[in-house]
């Protein structure tokens, strides 16, 4: 065939590679009608380039993440990781990677928006649509004291829109509703059946060995701690990469559900794991004596058996290499972990979580946000209508101003002076 120039070929490959699409954790592409099927089969699915496919969605999330980090740094008296620092340009700012170790040591790399500022109302409103302290998007933020309020000027509606997009997709994955098209992820359902359970950013500082998460399930806290424990509702973690992620900067390592099973439901599928999270952590550290039934001391033969068990346990683990804008949907029952960030850049992600119903503690109070996403989508529709009206009004003002400027710049025909006209008439009469 006709040879395509290298530059043009790279552009074509980039265009093809950056289209929004659904993938399994094994790299198999599928259409949106099978989203729930593969989500229940593996416990996770990948949505490639969904944030990039939406107007300003990724930029808005990155801006809000920077605002949240700024608030946390200010409140804790630590150094703020500017955009230059996040991109590894430390010499430009006079900083060092160690200046940001507080992100992992003090906060465990998790930054909830609800605790990022003091703008929350002191009293919880009675009506569900009134400002609620646990829902940072339901009340206004002080533009002078809170960086989130300043950033919301340009990005709040876009982040709210992304919440609506991911709520619809979570609704599809958990309930089997009709899926939005990959080329139009903003297409939304009329009656979403999910709640926004939590809303947080995860930022791993550069060159940080302790910025890691051991093997765990997101909902294992429901099985531990308080008595009586919280009312469990299945939920989904929507992990959005705000930077390119690979094994060097702490990519998620995920163990899909075992294959070839006839059981249905995430709870039942998770029971088929061969090893628990504690056993996987012991195997990962090669601390064989911490395994159930292991003796205090191991001979060479038994150590070889545990080494073989280590290879067997992690043979199906997938390292989720992702680009900024990719989205990973994970069930609260799937086992996963992530390593430290060995790169020179901050690794950022946004992780809203959606539950099938409000998760309540023993006293009946919401554990976290517990916002019905129907309100979120209604808000967005009003916000969108308002923006469209403002855009139309702005276009009308621009057109009117241009018309007025055109009239002002137009040169009217010069009026002849009366005396000059009289002299011309007298000359014509003499002739």
């Amino acid at each position: 065939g006709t040879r395509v120039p290298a530059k043009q070929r790279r552009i074509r490959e980039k265009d093809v590679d950056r289209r929004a699409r659904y993938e399994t954790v094994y790299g198999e592409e599928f259409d949106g009608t099978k989203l729930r099927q593969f989500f229940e089969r593996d416990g996770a699915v990948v949505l490639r380039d969904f944030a990039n496919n939406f107007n300003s969605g990724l930029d808005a999330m990155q801006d809000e993440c920077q605002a949240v980090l700024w608030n946390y740094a200010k409140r804790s008296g630590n150094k703020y990781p500017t955009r230059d620092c996040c991109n590894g340009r430390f010499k430009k700012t006079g900083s060092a990677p160690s200046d940001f170790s507080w992100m992992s040591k003090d906060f465990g790399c998790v930054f909830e928006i609800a605790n990022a500022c003091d703008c929350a109302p002191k009293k919880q409103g009675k009506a569900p649509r009134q400002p609620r302290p646990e829902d940072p998007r339901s009340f206004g933020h002080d533009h002078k004291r809170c960086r989130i309020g300043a950033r919301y000027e340009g990005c709040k509606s876009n982040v709210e829109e992304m919440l609506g997009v991911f709520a619809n997709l979570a609704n599809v994955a958990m309930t089997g509703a009709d899926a939005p098209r990959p080329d139009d992820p903003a297409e939304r359902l009329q009656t979403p059946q999910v709640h926004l359970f939590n809303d947080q950013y995860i930022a791993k500082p550069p060159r940080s060995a302790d910025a890691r998460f051991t093997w765990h399930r997101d909902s294992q806290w429901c099985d531990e701690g308080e008595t009586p424990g919280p009312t469990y509702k299945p939920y989904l973690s929507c992990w959005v990469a705000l930077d390119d992620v690979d094994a060097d900067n702490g990519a998620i390592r995920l163990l899909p559900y075992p294959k070839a099973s006839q059981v249905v439901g995430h709870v039942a599928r998770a029971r088929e794991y061969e090893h628990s999270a504690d056993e996987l952590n012991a195997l990962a550290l090669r601390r064989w004596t911490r395994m159930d039934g292991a003796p205090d001391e191991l001979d060479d033969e038994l150590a070889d058996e545990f080494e073989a068990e280590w290879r067997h346990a992690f043979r199906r683990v997938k390292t989720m290499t992702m680009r900024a804008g990719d989205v990973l949907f994970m069930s609260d029952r799937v086992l996963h972990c992530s390593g430290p960030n060995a790169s020179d850049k901050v690794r950022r992600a946004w992780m809203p979580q959606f539950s099938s119903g409000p998760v309540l503690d023993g006293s009946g109070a919401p554990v976290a946000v517990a916002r019905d996403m129907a309100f979120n989508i209604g808000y967005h529709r009003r916000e969108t209508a308002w923006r469209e009206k403002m855009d139309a009004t702005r276009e009308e003002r621009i057109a009117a101003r241009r018309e007025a400027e055109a009239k002002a710049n137009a040169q009217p025909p010069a009026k002849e002076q009366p005396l000059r006209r009289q002299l011309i008439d007298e000359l014509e009469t003499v002739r």
Side-chain angles (χ1 to χ4, degrees), residues 55 68 70 95 106 127 143 215 224 231 244 260 334 344 362 377 394:
N55 182 30
V68 170
W70 186 91
S95 303
D106 297 345
H143 289 227
W215 285 99
E224 306 166 352
T231 56
D244 293 345
V334 73
D344 292 332
I377 292 176
R394 184 171 63 251

Side-chain angles (χ1 to χ4, degrees), residues 392-408:
T393 305
R394 184 171 63 251
E395 293 296 332
E396 292 176 0
R397 291 200 306 269
I398 292 174
R401 187 176 70 249
R402 288 177 178 173
E403 184 178 354
E405 291 175 352
K407 289 181 180 179

Side-chain angles (χ1 to χ4, degrees), residues 151-392:
R151 290 299 176 101
Y152 268 3
E153 283 288 332
C155 74
K156 180 177 181 179
S157 57
N158 285 330
V159 176
E160 288 278 352
E161 172 72 2
M162 294 307 299
L163 274 175
V165 171
F166 294 138
N168 280 325
L169 292 168
N171 191 34
V172 173
M174 290 193 290
T175 67
D178 294 334
R181 300 188 307 273
D183 59 341
D184 185 16
E187 180 184 1
R188 46 188 18 86
L189 306 174
Q190 297 297 323
T191 54
Q193 303 171 24
V194 297
H195 288 68
L196 179 63
F197 167 57
N198 206 353
D199 193 352
Q200 59 195 2
Y201 285 93
I202 302 173
K204 292 190 174 185
R207 304 182 193 175
S208 179
D210 55 356
R212 66 174 73 216
F213 294 91
T214 58
W215 285 99
H216 65 282
R217 292 182 291 108
D218 282 346
S219 62
Q220 68 187 31
W221 61 273
C222 294
D223 307 329
E224 306 166 352
E226 297 181 6
T227 303
T231 56
Y232 170 74
K233 296 287 184 181
Y235 64 88
L236 176 152
S237 298
C238 174
W239 199 93
V240 186
L242 304 185
D243 301 291
D244 293 345
V245 181
D246 55 25
D248 291 336
N249 64 355
I252 288 179
R253 300 182 67 223
L254 185 140
L255 184 61
Y257 294 150
K259 283 188 173 182
S261 174
Q262 301 298 323
V263 299
V264 179
H266 292 278
V267 175
R269 296 284 286 123
R271 291 197 187 105
E272 297 186 325
Y273 278 125
E274 295 182 60
H275 301 90
S276 66
D278 291 338
E279 290 176 335
L280 289 176
N281 287 320
L283 285 168
L285 297 173
R286 286 180 165 78
R287 295 177 179 174
W288 315 129
T289 56
R290 294 190 180 184
M291 298 288 293
D292 290 341
D296 295 336
E297 295 183 2
L298 304 180
D299 55 25
D300 292 341
E301 183 178 354
L302 198 55
D304 290 340
E305 292 181 7
F306 276 108
E307 188 73 25
E309 182 66 18
W310 174 84
R311 290 191 295 270
H312 173 77
F314 297 108
R315 73 191 187 283
R316 294 191 306 106
V317 171
K318 300 297 179 183
T319 299
M320 307 308 299
T321 301
M322 303 169 70
R323 293 191 296 195
D326 290 350
V327 183
L328 176 64
F329 273 10
M330 294 185 294
S331 163
D332 65 282
R333 292 283 170 171
V334 73
L335 287 168
H336 61 283
C337 70
S338 65
N341 180 9
S343 71
D344 292 332
K345 302 178 181 180
V346 177
R347 196 226 67 184
R348 301 165 297 176
W350 180 42
M351 195 174 75
Q353 295 173 305
F354 301 97
S355 60
S356 59
V359 181
L360 308 177
D361 61 18
S363 64
V367 172
V369 180
R371 183 211 295 182
D372 187 344
M373 289 305 297
F375 167 61
N376 174 268
I377 292 176
Y379 164 83
H380 167 71
R381 285 175 177 160
R382 293 192 300 275
E383 184 77 7
T384 301
W386 177 82
R387 280 189 291 163
E388 290 175 351
K389 182 178 179 180
M390 292 299 295
D391 289 342

